[in-house]
Amino acid sequence: MNKITLKVLYSGCAEVDNSWNGSVVSPTDSRLYFILDGSFHIISSSGEKIVLSKGNSYLIPSGYSFDYGCEDRMSHLYFHILLSSFDGLDILGNVGKPLSCPFSKAPEIPKDVLDYSDIVGSLQTESFITASLFSLLKENGVSVEQKHYSKGVKIAIEYIRKHLSVQLSIKDISNECFLAPSTLTRNFRQETGMSIGEYIDFLIFRESEKMLKTTDMTVLEISDKLGFCDQFYFSRKFAEKHGFPPSKYRRLSVDI
């Protein structure tokens, strides 16, 4: 139950110019950046501007919304990551703000760094990410801890993740835990910091983002897999979160 897992959800190496700009709204994953040349900036929802510059690594934790842009040219290595225990929630989201520290040398990693057919290369990549996270947390004096749950909430989390669908009901989940719905609802919010519905939505939209980025599944297929009544309702809910529909999300550059 207490095992920590590091997942690389998306990654790459990109060169961009001053046409590169956009927004990231409440990301469900954390972002690691290694600026190889040039610089770009991010502006938080509170208006704080941070310049990400050559020779430095940066961690932007999950849940941190920002606008981004580049004044000139910039090249960078980026990783969308998830550091979690069995609940699937990103532990790095507890950091709350961007962290930075210098890096000595970027690794020789091919653009398709998620090609795990090269076992040695994938181990090298994961080792590099782990060491970089350690340096960022240590240099900034930040510690992160995973949450601990009661037996009933653990069972609920396991059941939700195994049967992930918008059709899940609190009654079905509470029956699995042998708890009254009111008791489970109260304990779940106290221990996770979110309601059962919010937790399901969080996992649903993270899964939909992943499928849009990494598969050729149609919006209809994704909608059906996640239990939505139709793709139009799914698209509307997705747009409420991101500001645009899943079809546009798929087309947007993921070099951020």
Side-chain angles (χ1 to χ4, degrees), residues 10 36 68 93 98 101 112 145 158 161 172 181 232 235:
Y10 205 87
L36 308 178
Y68 63 91
C101 75
D112 187 8
E145 297 180 356
E158 290 177 323
R161 297 195 68 190
D172 290 338
F232 304 106
S235 295

Side-chain angles (χ1 to χ4, degrees), residues 2-256:
N2 295 320
K3 182 180 179 182
I4 301 298
T5 302
L6 172 65
K7 291 184 178 180
V8 181
L9 305 177
Y10 205 87
S11 56
C13 187
E15 296 183 10
V16 300
D17 57 23
N18 56 16
S19 65
W20 184 73
N21 60 80
S23 299
V24 175
V25 181
S26 299
T28 55
D29 49 39
S30 293
R31 316 288 175 94
L32 266 179
Y33 299 109
F34 300 87
I35 313 304
L36 308 178
D37 195 23
S39 66
F40 79 101
H41 68 267
I42 62 173
I43 300 175
S44 71
S45 55
S46 64
E48 179 185 10
K49 182 176 182 179
I50 301 173
V51 177
L52 290 72
S53 56
K54 178 181 179 179
N56 292 297
S57 59
Y58 298 87
L59 169 66
I60 300 183
S62 57
Y64 186 89
S65 299
F66 60 95
D67 297 326
Y68 63 91
C70 180
E71 280 77 20
D72 189 12
R73 303 190 69 83
M74 183 270 298
S75 63
H76 66 305
L77 184 65
Y78 61 92
F79 300 91
H80 295 194
I81 62 173
L82 179 66
L83 186 70
S84 65
S85 58
F86 84 104
D87 59 11
L89 299 176
D90 185 28
I91 295 172
L92 296 172
N94 298 326
V95 172
K97 62 180 182 179
L99 305 178
S100 67
C101 75
F103 67 87
S104 56
K105 182 182 179 182
E108 297 295 331
I109 297 176
K111 290 186 178 181
D112 187 8
V113 289
L114 289 186
D115 179 8
Y116 283 94
S117 60
D118 179 0
I119 301 299
V120 174
S122 64
L123 289 173
Q124 178 192 19
T125 300
E126 292 182 7
S127 176
F128 171 73
I129 291 173
T130 302
S132 299
L133 285 175
F134 177 78
S135 295
L136 280 158
L137 295 172
K138 182 179 180 181
E139 287 291 324
N140 290 274
V142 174
S143 61
V144 291
E145 297 180 356
Q146 61 175 318
K147 295 179 180 179
H148 298 280
Y149 302 114
S150 62
K151 181 179 179 180
V153 172
K154 284 181 180 178
I155 294 172
I157 288 172
E158 290 177 323
Y159 184 80
I160 291 169
R161 297 195 68 190
K162 185 176 181 180
H163 301 87
L164 185 60
S165 167
V166 292
Q167 301 297 326
L168 280 175
S169 70
I170 292 178
K171 182 179 179 180
D172 290 338
I173 300 168
S174 61
N175 286 342
E176 185 71 16
C177 303
F178 299 101
L179 291 173
S182 58
T183 300
L184 177 62
T185 298
R186 181 182 66 251
N187 293 351
F188 198 96
R189 181 178 286 279
Q190 288 177 344
E191 295 177 32
T192 67
M194 62 180 73
S195 69
I196 293 174
E198 289 170 338
Y199 179 69
I200 292 173
D201 283 349
F202 179 88
L203 296 182
I204 285 285
F205 286 107
R206 186 173 68 199
E207 187 64 22
S208 67
E209 292 163 9
K210 178 182 177 182
M211 288 188 283
L212 287 166
K213 287 179 181 179
T214 62
T215 76
D216 294 325
M217 294 175 67
T218 66
V219 173
L220 175 59
E221 289 171 336
I222 293 172
S223 171
D224 288 345
K225 184 175 179 62
L226 295 175
F228 286 88
C229 56
D230 61 65
Q231 70 179 89
F232 304 106
Y233 178 66
F234 165 63
S235 295
R236 186 168 73 250
K237 298 297 289 184
F238 192 95
E240 288 176 4
K241 171 177 170 52
H242 292 282
F244 41 78
S247 55
K248 183 176 180 180
Y249 181 88
R250 172 169 270 163
R251 293 195 302 270
L252 289 176
S253 169
V254 291
D255 296 339
I256 176 65

